[in-house]
């Protein structure tokens, strides 16, 4: 069974810092990996999607890398802002035939960026 | 519309009562997924549909949970005889592709509280 772990569980930083959020998964048979953001009381906002054949994806101040063979992904946030405060979730899409489409989520990293 | 609409936003049920949750996927999205978020950030996959057909229900506690996606109607998730442990936020997601190559769009969730 796929297990997804996110480190750290919580992070509190001053504005302007560059951040690294880590995600690891136990089964390398993945189809793709997504990073989501969840604000309190809200749904999930998709940030970046990396296909299993890709190494990284970038969107604005966000960059996500994927090392499928070692079961790791990293989300980099450059020049953090208070508006980045949220919970960041990593989700892996299984490539195991009938379970394709099922996302396995980590427990998230709760980020607080203070002014 | 370009959002997944979930209703109601909040639902309170006494233990043993029935609960019914609704999800309107984005038009043109053939795939619908239900997740349960219990405690903080622990997402559990429940069931997925391709149009009105179930294609993965291995996450569903079948004794009390059931789900449907009928043509021209919102999808529904029904819990018979709710228990305290069913208290959670239930999220629905839709996608045009099972693999999520274009990403999964999540609704804002229904918070079910069983008292």
């Amino acid at each position: 069974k796929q297990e997804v772990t996110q480190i750290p569980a919580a992070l509190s930083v001053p504005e302007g810092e560059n951040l690294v959020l880590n995600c690891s998964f136990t089964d390398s048979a993945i189809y793709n990996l997504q990073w989501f953001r969840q604000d309190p009381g809200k749904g999930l906002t998709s940030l970046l999607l990396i296909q299993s054949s890709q190494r990284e994806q970038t969107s604005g101040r966000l960059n996500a890398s994927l090392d499928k063979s070692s079961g790791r992904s990293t989300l980099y946030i450059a020049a953090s802002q208070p508006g980045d405060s949220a919970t960041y979730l990593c989700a892996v899409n299984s490539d195991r035939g009938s379970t394709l489409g099922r996302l396995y989520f980590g427990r998230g990293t709760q980020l607080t960026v203070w002014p | 519309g370009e959002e997944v609409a979930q209703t109601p936003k909040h639902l309170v049920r006494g233990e043993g009562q029935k609960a019914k949750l609704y999800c309107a996927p984005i038009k043109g999205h053939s795939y619908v997924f239900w997740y349960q978020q219990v405690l903080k950030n622990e997402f559990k996959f429940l069931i997925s549909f391709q149009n009105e057909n179930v294609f993965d229900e291995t996450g569903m506690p079948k004794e009390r949970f059931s789900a449907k996606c009928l043509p021209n109607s919102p999808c529904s998730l029904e819990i018979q005889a709710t228990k305290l442990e069913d208290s959670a936020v239930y999220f629905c997601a839709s996608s045009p592709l099972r693999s999520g190559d274009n990403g999964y769009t999540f609704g804002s969730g229904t918070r079910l509280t069983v008292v």
Side-chain angles (χ1 to χ4, degrees):
Chain A
K1 181 193 169 191
Q2 180 73 271
E3 291 186 5
V4 181
T5 304
Q6 289 188 246
I7 295 172
L11 191 58
S12 181
V13 299
E15 185 176 9
E17 284 207 358
N18 299 324
L19 307 174
V20 176
L21 280 59
N22 297 294
C23 171
S24 61
F25 46 94
T26 55
D27 186 350
S28 62
I30 67 167
Y31 194 86
N32 53 44
L33 182 147
Q34 276 186 274
W35 283 92
F36 293 91
R37 169 186 171 139
Q38 185 175 27
D39 293 280
K42 301 278 181 69
L44 303 180
T45 301
S46 180
L47 298 173
L48 290 165
L49 182 148
I50 312 178
Q51 300 295 348
S52 61
S53 58
Q54 296 177 319
R55 298 287 290 185
E56 66 178 304
Q57 281 286 340
T58 299
S59 175
R61 294 182 296 108
L62 304 179
N63 174 276
S65 66
L66 173 64
D67 185 341
K68 184 181 166 185
S69 59
S70 68
R72 291 179 185 173
S73 177
T74 303
L75 179 67
Y76 298 90
I77 303 176
S80 57
Q81 302 171 357
D84 294 331
S85 298
T87 296
Y88 290 79
L89 292 153
C90 169
V92 169
N93 194 350
S94 170
D95 192 18
R96 297 279 184 196
S98 62
T99 60
L100 176 63
R102 175 194 297 201
L103 291 177
Y104 294 87
F105 284 85
R107 288 183 174 250
T109 294
Q110 186 174 356
L111 174 65
T112 304
V113 181
W114 37 277
Chain B
E2 291 301 306
E3 66 173 27
V4 175
Q6 289 190 249
T7 55
K9 288 194 184 304
H10 302 279
L11 191 58
V12 180
R13 287 290 179 265
E15 208 173 359
Q17 291 185 318
K18 185 171 69 176
K20 196 165 186 177
L21 291 61
Y22 297 93
C23 167
I26 291 173
K27 275 192 176 180
H29 284 194
S30 304
Y31 294 89
V32 172
F33 306 82
W34 285 97
Y35 291 87
Q36 178 193 54
Q37 185 181 25
V38 297
L39 300 174
K40 197 171 183 188
N41 301 332
E42 186 175 344
F43 279 80
K44 179 188 172 188
F45 169 81
L46 294 175
I47 190 169
S48 52
F49 289 84
Q50 178 184 9
N51 297 313
E52 62 267 29
N53 303 308
V54 174
F55 73 80
D56 185 354
E57 60 181 345
T58 51
M60 283 281 272
K62 291 183 186 173
E63 320 80 61
R64 297 183 297 108
F65 284 60
S66 63
K68 292 180 186 176
C69 278
L70 299 176
N72 303 313
S73 297
C75 297
S76 63
L77 177 69
E78 189 168 335
I79 308 172
Q80 302 285 345
T82 53
K83 297 183 178 181
L84 296 177
E85 68 226 40
D86 298 331
S87 294
V89 182
Y90 291 83
F91 286 100
C92 170
S94 72
S95 175
L97 299 171
R98 180 178 172 183
S99 63
D101 281 344
N102 293 337
Y104 300 96
T105 304
F106 279 75
S108 57
T110 293
R111 181 176 295 277
L112 172 65
T113 303
V114 181
V115 297

